[in-house]
Amino acid sequence: MAAYLQWRRFVFFDRETVREPSGLDGAGAKPFALPPGITVCDSGRGSLVFGDILCGAGRCQIWFLPRSLQLSSFQAYKLRVTHLYQLKQHSILVSIGEDEEGINPLVKVWNLEKRDGGNPLCTRIFPAIPGNKPTVVSCLTVHENLNFMAIGFADGSVVLTKGDITRDRHSKTQILHEGSYPVTGLAFRQSGKTTHLFVVTTENIQSYMLSVKDYPHLELDTHGCGLRCSSLSDPSQDLQFIVAGNECVYLYQPDERGPCFAFEGQKLIVHWYRGYLIIVSKDRKTSPKSEFAGNEAQNSDKQVLNIYDLCNKFIAYSSIFDDIVDVLAEWGSLYVLTRDGKIHVLQEKDTQTKLEACKFMLFRKNLFEMAINLAKSHHLDSDGLSEIFRQYGDHLYNKGNHDGAIQQYIRTIGKLEPSYVIRKFLDAQRIHNLTAYLQMLHLQSLANADHTTLLLNCYTKLKDSSKLEEFIKTSESEVHFDVETAIKVLRQAGYYSHAVYLAEKHEHHEWYLKIQLEDIKNYQEALHYIGKLPFEQAESNMKRYGKILMHHVPNETTELLKILCTDYRPSGGNEGPGMLEGKKANSEEFIPVFANNSRELKAFLEHMTEVQADSPQGVYDTLLELRLQNWAHEQDKQIKEKLHNEALTLLKSGRFKTVFDKALVLCQMHNFKDGVLYLYEQGKLFQQIMHYHMQNEQYKKVIEVCELYGDQEACLWEQALSYFARKEENCKEYIAAVLKHIENKNLMPPLLVVQTLAHNSTATLSVIKDYLVNKLQKQSRQIEQDEQRIQKYREETTRIRLEIEELKASPKIFQKTKCSICTSALELPSVHFLCGHSFHQHCFESYSESDSECPTCMPENRKVMDMIRAQEQKRDLHDQFQHQLKCSNDGFSVVADYFGRGVFNKLTLITDLPSGKTATTIEAGLQRELLIHTKRST
């Protein structure tokens, strides 16, 4: 009784009286009245069904009341209708009634979709009594699959019809249960493929399993209920069988008894509707119950209809009616039929209206749990539930129940802004509550970076290492936080091992290395970790942290760099399918890593040049510079000689052709003499080689350079002469050697030699005496030869002129007897030339290139003509030069222009003259030589 009184009462249904449809004039709004004499009713398939209407003609009918309130009927029995069962999923109606006096009830099955003379088709009729024993039918139920029908009797027996209940031939009837107490209720329960039948009498409750042969049964309880005081719940209550006694309401599973509820009072009617338990009971102010609980109440009785919500434990509706016949459910509402013929409809309010109606009362009385259960049972959306959780949490928070409050706030995650909750629990004393909230926020993957920071700070403040480890050591698929933020917070809080674990697990390589190197100072482990990374990441991290690692673990770092730049494969078995072939980095990019480690740098560079001949040029440049530095600073002679050879060998490797200038600068910076001279030689800088020896006053080397490269660059001898001429010390020996070579090669005019040596105070006339004498003697011999040639040319000219005159004045007699080409005897026709040559005509035509020239004399004549044309061109050029020189304001520019055009280059003859040079050629050569001498003197 106490439990029942604690249930809250609400008004979740609106009560109205069903009224007749309004006429066209708006009249007729009076209450709808049922015909008198209704003893049984049911509902389904869009109609309310009534039976046993006693009319004046003595006919018993079944009536249908659709939603339009237009009654229709048909005669089902001749005497009375005692039971009706309308199936919900089929248009099948099963009725039990009597056609004659006495106890002989008949079962009729009606197909409402088929017609027989305007009435529903009766598909089957059979007697209800088992055997010949007369007894009264007390209850009826039919399975929705049309394969089972059970009829209960007042003598305690139950008849089961199995098979198609609509046909006689496809069904079988048998007595399922026999007992001493009247059967007051039956119900089928279908769970999967298992079918149970609940049988309740006035004294016990039993369960039969119909899906098993022999129908085993189980007695569930030793007390029963009255007629119409049992029902089957829907799946929200797990299809439990409800039995309403006078003191309690019991719920049963097929194999056990479930919960019970203390609802006192004499129960008259029990139904289940949409999760609600409907109980009609006598008002406590009325007379006590009759001897048989299911007897009809007297007309003066007041009856109470209560609608219970068993899940949320409240009364959804309660009202008093006068003599209720039954309560039917159809069209989404409840219809209460009373003995006075009226129909009252109970319309359930919509969810929002119900919640608004009860929320104020529940919240005012702090009944938040009931409000939450109510909202859930009515499928309130998540936003509405979240608001209730928030208000419940605020209520608990204000009462000081922070543990309970945080549990309610956790239920708002995803709807309520987290900052609303976090601000309430920032106090240090409530940090454990805040931690619980933040944990759940992360588990639902709704936390941002700030929430992660706050949660980790809470762990560190609480010194809760176990929770911290549990948080960060979740599997990768269960990570609900920003990993990078967590690493930052842990590092800041000094939890380096946790931060390193997190960074390694989630492959935040940069953070892992930063913590290892900057905080833990574990350089060896950091280097080992880099060696396990994929190539691209290992390369970038070595560029970033290489200097630090080189400073603390130089040998190991150098070895890793060697591998990285030659044939890198991650260590630790981390090779992917694309790592079968090793990769290599650009070794030149890692040279800055060895900034203060020259020994390791040298080892690295030498290794690269040995294993990788095509290493970048920067590797060779740096190695050369390093070897030159070591050579320059080395004091030990043996080691210095070794370093000297190494540097020179590197220079001679042929790797510096494209960076000749750079290599030369390095050698000059470190005063590496042999390297400088080698590079000069390779670059054909012979003058620089000689200047280098001149600067070092190595006279013999100067002469050697001239002897080696003088043929390739003749000016070396002139420069050597000028160099020795400027020396004040005695260099007669070297000057004599130079003069001898100049004389042999005729490299300088004598006047220019005298002018050059005039600057040397130690060079006396004896130094060049032999040179001048030899030169003068050569010129004298040349003059004699020239005079002889002149005389010869004059005599030849006189002879030629005489021949010309003779040809002009006297006839030419051709006395040749042989052809000049084939040397055979001449035969007519023949061809004769004034030069004295004769030819067969066919020989002349075969070998002659011109009809007017002698084939034999033509080559020599052409040479002479070419020389004449050349002299004429030179003469014209000389005249033009002289004219421009006289007329120009800037004579130097004219001379420079002719120098650029090669006018003053040394004359090269096409061929030697057969007899010697002409006077004109000699004169032109002398003029050219004098002009050159004049230029050099200036």
Side-chain angles (χ1 to χ4, degrees), residues 16-22 28-35 38 48 50 63-72 331 335-338 340-345:
E16 293 181 1
T17 301
V18 177
R19 298 182 180 276
E20 293 183 357
S22 300
K30 60 181 180 180
F32 181 85
L34 289 172
I38 294 177
L48 304 182
F50 314 115
W63 292 76
F64 296 93
L65 180 65
R67 198 166 190 174
S68 61
L69 303 182
Q70 300 295 324
L71 277 171
S72 61
W331 310 309
Y335 292 86
V336 182
L337 281 63
T338 56
D340 57 5
K342 294 181 179 180
I343 302 177
H344 304 273
V345 59

Side-chain angles (χ1 to χ4, degrees), residues 389-401:
F389 294 143
R390 183 194 65 79
Q391 294 188 32
Y392 192 14
D394 291 345
H395 167 71
L396 296 176
Y397 182 85
N398 294 330
K399 288 177 61 177
N401 183 2

Side-chain angles (χ1 to χ4, degrees), residues 17 46 128 237 266 312 383 418 438 504 609 612 636 672 688 701 716 774 793 839 882:
T17 301
Q237 279 292 334
Q266 182 180 351
N312 300 313
D383 292 333
L438 292 172
E504 182 178 11
T609 56
Q612 199 174 65
D636 189 283
F672 189 57
Q688 280 77 358
K701 292 292 184 180
L716 294 178
N774 292 334
Y793 290 154
F839 309 92
Q882 293 293 340

